[in-house]
CSV table of all heavy atoms in Angstrom, one decimal:
chain,number,residue,atom,x,y,z
E,7,LEU,N,-6.8,-66.1,24.0
E,7,LEU,CA,-7.4,-65.7,25.3
E,7,LEU,C,-6.2,-65.1,26.2
E,7,LEU,O,-5.2,-65.9,26.2
E,7,LEU,CB,-8.0,-66.8,25.9
E,7,LEU,CG,-9.1,-66.6,26.9
E,7,LEU,CD1,-10.3,-66.1,26.2
E,7,LEU,CD2,-9.5,-68.0,27.6
E,19,GLU,N,-1.4,-66.1,28.4
E,19,GLU,CA,-1.0,-65.3,27.3
E,19,GLU,C,-1.4,-66.0,26.0
E,19,GLU,O,-1.0,-67.2,25.8
E,19,GLU,CB,0.5,-65.2,27.4
E,19,GLU,CG,1.0,-63.8,27.7
E,19,GLU,CD,2.5,-63.7,27.5
E,19,GLU,OE1,3.1,-64.2,28.5
E,19,GLU,OE2,2.9,-63.1,26.5
E,33,VAL,N,-6.4,-80.4,31.3
E,33,VAL,CA,-5.5,-79.3,31.4
E,33,VAL,C,-4.6,-79.6,32.5
E,33,VAL,O,-4.8,-79.8,33.6
E,33,VAL,CB,-6.3,-77.9,31.8
E,33,VAL,CG1,-5.3,-76.7,31.8
E,33,VAL,CG2,-7.4,-77.7,30.8
E,34,LEU,N,-3.2,-79.6,32.2
E,34,LEU,CA,-2.2,-80.1,33.0
E,34,LEU,C,-1.2,-78.9,33.2
E,34,LEU,O,-1.0,-78.0,32.3
E,34,LEU,CB,-1.4,-81.3,32.6
E,34,LEU,CG,-2.4,-82.5,32.2
E,34,LEU,CD1,-1.5,-83.6,31.5
E,34,LEU,CD2,-2.9,-83.0,33.5
E,60,LEU,N,-15.6,-69.4,21.1
E,60,LEU,CA,-16.6,-69.7,20.1
E,60,LEU,C,-17.3,-71.1,20.3
E,60,LEU,O,-16.5,-72.1,20.3
E,60,LEU,CB,-16.1,-69.6,18.7
E,60,LEU,CG,-15.4,-68.3,18.3
E,60,LEU,CD1,-14.9,-68.4,16.9
E,60,LEU,CD2,-16.4,-67.2,18.5
E,84,LYS,N,-14.0,-76.3,44.9
E,84,LYS,CA,-14.7,-76.7,46.2
E,84,LYS,C,-16.1,-76.2,46.1
E,84,LYS,O,-16.5,-75.1,45.6
E,84,LYS,CB,-14.1,-75.8,47.2
E,84,LYS,CG,-12.9,-76.4,48.0
E,84,LYS,CD,-12.7,-75.7,49.3
E,84,LYS,CE,-11.2,-75.4,49.5
E,84,LYS,NZ,-11.0,-74.2,50.3
E,85,ASN,N,-17.0,-77.2,46.5
E,85,ASN,CA,-18.4,-76.9,46.6
E,85,ASN,C,-19.0,-76.7,47.8
E,85,ASN,O,-18.6,-77.4,48.7
E,85,ASN,CB,-19.1,-77.9,45.8
E,85,ASN,CG,-18.7,-78.1,44.3
E,85,ASN,OD1,-19.0,-77.2,43.5
E,85,ASN,ND2,-18.1,-79.2,43.9
E,86,GLU,N,-19.7,-75.7,48.0
E,86,GLU,CA,-20.3,-75.4,49.3
E,86,GLU,C,-21.6,-76.2,49.6
E,86,GLU,O,-22.4,-76.1,48.7
E,86,GLU,CB,-20.6,-73.9,49.4
E,86,GLU,CG,-19.3,-73.1,49.5
E,86,GLU,CD,-19.5,-71.5,49.3
E,86,GLU,OE1,-20.5,-71.1,49.8
E,86,GLU,OE2,-18.8,-71.0,48.6
E,88,THR,N,-24.9,-76.8,51.6
E,88,THR,CA,-25.9,-76.1,52.4
E,88,THR,C,-27.1,-77.0,52.6
E,88,THR,O,-27.2,-78.1,52.1
E,88,THR,CB,-26.3,-74.8,51.7
E,88,THR,OG1,-27.2,-74.0,52.5
E,88,THR,CG2,-26.9,-75.1,50.4
E,115,LEU,N,-36.4,-83.6,33.4
E,115,LEU,CA,-35.0,-83.8,33.0
E,115,LEU,C,-34.2,-84.1,34.3
E,115,LEU,O,-33.3,-84.9,34.2
E,115,LEU,CB,-34.6,-82.6,32.3
E,115,LEU,CG,-33.0,-82.6,31.9
E,115,LEU,CD1,-33.0,-83.6,30.7
E,115,LEU,CD2,-32.8,-81.2,31.5
E,120,ILE,N,-30.7,-87.6,37.5
E,120,ILE,CA,-30.4,-88.0,38.8
E,120,ILE,C,-30.3,-89.7,38.8
E,120,ILE,O,-29.5,-90.3,39.4
E,120,ILE,CB,-31.5,-87.6,39.8
E,120,ILE,CG1,-31.1,-86.2,40.2
E,120,ILE,CG2,-31.4,-88.4,41.1
E,120,ILE,CD1,-32.0,-85.5,41.2
E,125,LEU,N,-28.0,-91.4,41.5
E,125,LEU,CA,-28.2,-90.6,42.7
E,125,LEU,C,-29.6,-90.7,43.3
E,125,LEU,O,-29.9,-90.0,44.2
E,125,LEU,CB,-27.9,-89.1,42.5
E,125,LEU,CG,-26.4,-88.8,42.1
E,125,LEU,CD1,-26.3,-87.4,41.6
E,125,LEU,CD2,-25.5,-89.0,43.2
E,132,TYR,N,-30.2,-83.9,52.3
E,132,TYR,CA,-29.6,-82.6,52.2
E,132,TYR,C,-28.2,-82.6,51.8
E,132,TYR,O,-27.5,-83.6,52.1
E,132,TYR,CB,-29.6,-81.7,53.5
E,132,TYR,CG,-31.1,-81.3,53.8
E,132,TYR,CD1,-31.8,-81.8,55.0
E,132,TYR,CD2,-31.8,-80.4,53.0
E,132,TYR,CE1,-33.0,-81.4,55.2
E,132,TYR,CE2,-32.9,-80.0,53.3
E,132,TYR,CZ,-33.6,-80.5,54.4
E,132,TYR,OH,-34.9,-80.0,54.6
E,135,GLU,N,-25.3,-83.3,54.0
E,135,GLU,CA,-25.2,-84.6,54.8
E,135,GLU,C,-24.6,-85.7,54.0
E,135,GLU,O,-24.4,-86.8,54.5
E,135,GLU,CB,-26.6,-85.0,55.2
E,135,GLU,CG,-27.1,-84.1,56.4
E,135,GLU,CD,-28.6,-84.2,56.6
E,135,GLU,OE1,-29.3,-84.8,55.7
E,135,GLU,OE2,-29.0,-83.4,57.5
E,139,GLY,N,-17.5,-87.3,47.6
E,139,GLY,CA,-17.7,-87.9,46.4
E,139,GLY,C,-19.1,-87.8,45.8
E,139,GLY,O,-19.3,-87.4,44.7
E,181,ILE,N,-20.0,-89.2,29.9
E,181,ILE,CA,-20.8,-88.2,29.5
E,181,ILE,C,-20.4,-87.6,28.2
E,181,ILE,O,-21.3,-87.2,27.3
E,181,ILE,CB,-20.7,-87.1,30.6
E,181,ILE,CG1,-21.3,-87.5,31.8
E,181,ILE,CG2,-21.3,-85.7,30.1
E,181,ILE,CD1,-20.9,-86.7,33.1
E,188,ALA,N,-18.3,-81.6,25.0
E,188,ALA,CA,-17.0,-81.4,25.1
E,188,ALA,C,-16.7,-81.0,26.6
E,188,ALA,O,-17.4,-80.3,27.3
E,188,ALA,CB,-16.5,-80.2,24.4
E,194,HIS,N,-4.8,-82.9,38.4
E,194,HIS,CA,-3.2,-83.0,38.8
E,194,HIS,C,-2.8,-84.5,38.7
E,194,HIS,O,-1.7,-84.7,38.6
E,194,HIS,CB,-3.2,-82.5,40.3
E,194,HIS,CG,-2.9,-81.1,40.4
E,194,HIS,ND1,-1.9,-80.4,39.8
E,194,HIS,CD2,-3.6,-80.1,41.1
E,194,HIS,CE1,-1.9,-79.1,40.1
E,194,HIS,NE2,-2.9,-78.9,40.8
E,195,ASP,N,-3.7,-85.3,38.8
E,195,ASP,CA,-3.4,-86.7,38.8
E,195,ASP,C,-3.2,-87.2,37.3
E,195,ASP,O,-4.1,-87.3,36.6
E,195,ASP,CB,-4.4,-87.6,39.4
E,195,ASP,CG,-4.0,-89.0,39.6
E,195,ASP,OD1,-3.4,-89.6,38.8
E,195,ASP,OD2,-4.4,-89.6,40.7
E,203,CYS,N,-8.7,-89.2,29.6
E,203,CYS,CA,-8.8,-88.0,28.8
E,203,CYS,C,-8.3,-88.3,27.3
E,203,CYS,O,-7.4,-89.2,27.2
E,203,CYS,CB,-8.1,-86.8,29.3
E,203,CYS,SG,-8.8,-86.3,30.9
E,209,LEU,N,0.1,-76.4,30.1
E,209,LEU,CA,0.4,-75.1,30.4
E,209,LEU,C,1.7,-75.0,31.1
E,209,LEU,O,2.0,-75.6,32.1
E,209,LEU,CB,-0.8,-74.4,31.2
E,209,LEU,CG,-2.0,-74.2,30.6
E,209,LEU,CD1,-3.1,-73.6,31.6
E,209,LEU,CD2,-2.0,-73.3,29.4
E,211,ASP,N,4.4,-71.6,32.2
E,211,ASP,CA,4.7,-70.1,32.1
E,211,ASP,C,3.7,-69.4,31.4
E,211,ASP,O,4.0,-68.5,30.4
E,211,ASP,CB,6.1,-69.8,31.5
E,211,ASP,CG,7.1,-70.6,32.2
E,211,ASP,OD1,7.1,-70.7,33.4
E,211,ASP,OD2,8.2,-71.0,31.6
E,214,ILE,N,0.6,-72.1,26.4
E,214,ILE,CA,0.5,-73.5,26.0
E,214,ILE,C,1.8,-74.0,25.5
E,214,ILE,O,2.5,-73.5,24.8
E,214,ILE,CB,-0.6,-73.7,24.9
E,214,ILE,CG1,-1.9,-73.2,25.3
E,214,ILE,CG2,-0.6,-75.0,24.4
E,214,ILE,CD1,-3.1,-73.4,24.2
E,217,TYR,N,-0.2,-79.2,23.0
E,217,TYR,CA,-1.6,-79.6,23.0
E,217,TYR,C,-1.7,-80.7,21.9
E,217,TYR,O,-1.3,-80.6,20.9
E,217,TYR,CB,-2.5,-78.5,22.5
E,217,TYR,CG,-3.9,-78.8,22.4
E,217,TYR,CD1,-4.5,-79.3,23.6
E,217,TYR,CD2,-4.7,-78.4,21.3
E,217,TYR,CE1,-5.9,-79.7,23.4
E,217,TYR,CE2,-6.1,-78.8,21.2
E,217,TYR,CZ,-6.6,-79.3,22.3
E,217,TYR,OH,-8.0,-79.7,22.3
E,224,GLN,N,5.0,-87.7,26.7
E,224,GLN,CA,6.2,-88.4,26.8
E,224,GLN,C,7.0,-88.0,28.0
E,224,GLN,O,6.8,-86.9,28.6
E,224,GLN,CB,7.0,-88.1,25.6
E,224,GLN,CG,6.3,-88.6,24.3
E,224,GLN,CD,5.9,-90.0,24.2
E,224,GLN,OE1,6.5,-90.9,24.9
E,224,GLN,NE2,4.9,-90.3,23.5
E,230,GLU,N,9.5,-81.7,31.8
E,230,GLU,CA,9.6,-80.3,31.6
E,230,GLU,C,8.5,-79.5,32.4
E,230,GLU,O,8.8,-78.5,32.8
E,230,GLU,CB,9.7,-80.1,30.0
E,230,GLU,CG,9.8,-78.7,29.6
E,230,GLU,CD,11.3,-78.2,29.9
E,230,GLU,OE1,12.2,-79.0,29.9
E,230,GLU,OE2,11.4,-76.9,30.1
E,249,PRO,N,6.6,-90.4,39.0
E,249,PRO,CA,7.5,-89.3,39.3
E,249,PRO,C,8.8,-89.9,40.1
E,249,PRO,O,8.6,-90.7,41.0
E,249,PRO,CB,6.8,-88.4,40.2
E,249,PRO,CG,5.4,-88.8,40.2
E,249,PRO,CD,5.3,-90.3,39.8
Side-chain angles (χ1 to χ4, degrees):
Chain E
L7 211 64
E19 254 186 284
V33 180
L34 303 170
L60 300 180
K84 266 202 229 149
N85 294 298
E86 288 165 46
T88 182
L115 181 68
I120 285 182
L125 295 169
Y132 286 118
E135 287 163 357
I181 291 159
H194 273 303
D195 190 320
C203 297
L209 287 179
D211 301 330
I214 295 184
Y217 179 52
Q224 301 303 332
E230 183 66 30

